Amino acid sequence: MPEVLINAEPRSEFGKGAARKIRREDKVPAVLYGHGTDPQHLILPGHELLLALRTPNVLIRLQGAATELALPKGVQRDPIRGFLEHVDLLLVKSGEKVTIDIPVTVVGEVADGILDQQLVSISVESEATHIPTGVEVDVEGMEIGTQFTAGELKLPEGTSLIADPETLVLHVTATPTGEPEAAEGEAAETAEAPEGESAE
């Protein structure tokens, strides 16, 4: 996964008023923690951070007084306008193993029936500097009754499954025919007919 370089400033003022001032300048308050170190309070550029967070599990290289690698672990957004309010970042080291959720993407078309995807993400362990952007499941030609479990996922080298291998990722079910509803409708009409005749 490519790294995104973001300039980080130390944050020295706290409280709601200070946070609002930071956001008015299109910046975002953040906290960097991990490896038993004291949390570092930072200020990050809002636009660059917003673009970076569009990539799942993006690896951020923080450039400031010292250069650090970090993974986003908590993102707070304004519930109405959607702008970033605060971000928690986890300090990571090159070669270190981390547990993350990666997206599960479906490609192809099933032969018949309806595809029912149970999981849109899966928990895996990977090197912090080699986190996969996601994993694909090719459903081309799958037939009704086919099931696909987490243990069948083809993960990149260096990435291992954390989730239960028996967890159902997706399956193909039969298309509802709607025939029972039609039969019920016909039965209702038949039952109503004698009443209409007697009314005449």
Side-chain angles (χ1 to χ4, degrees), residues 78-124:
D78 181 270
I80 298 175
R81 289 181 285 177
F83 62 79
L84 297 174
E85 292 189 324
H86 187 274
V87 176
D88 288 333
L89 300 169
L90 177 65
L91 179 66
V92 296
K93 303 293 184 183
S94 180
E96 176 185 6
K97 292 279 190 177
V98 293
T99 298
I100 68 283
D101 289 342
I102 60 173
V104 177
T105 305
V106 170
V107 296
E109 297 289 339
V110 297
D112 51 16
I114 296 176
L115 178 66
D116 182 10
Q117 185 173 352
Q118 299 286 308
L119 293 181
V120 295
S121 64
I122 198 80
S123 295
V124 299

Side-chain angles (χ1 to χ4, degrees), residues 129-200:
T129 51
H130 293 87
I131 295 174
T133 54
V135 60
E136 290 185 346
V137 180
D138 187 356
V139 300
E140 188 67 35
M142 284 188 180
E143 299 180 345
I144 294 173
T146 304
Q147 295 188 342
F148 194 95
T149 63
E152 297 175 85
L153 291 169
K154 295 180 180 178
L155 298 174
E157 186 177 352
T159 300
S160 56
L161 186 67
I162 295 297
D164 185 346
E166 298 301 317
T167 301
L168 183 64
V169 176
L170 56 84
H171 64 138
V172 184
T173 62
T175 304
T177 61
E179 291 178 358
E181 294 182 6
E184 289 175 7
E186 292 172 2
E189 290 176 5
T190 303
E192 292 172 0
E195 294 181 8
E197 292 173 359
S198 59
E200 291 177 0

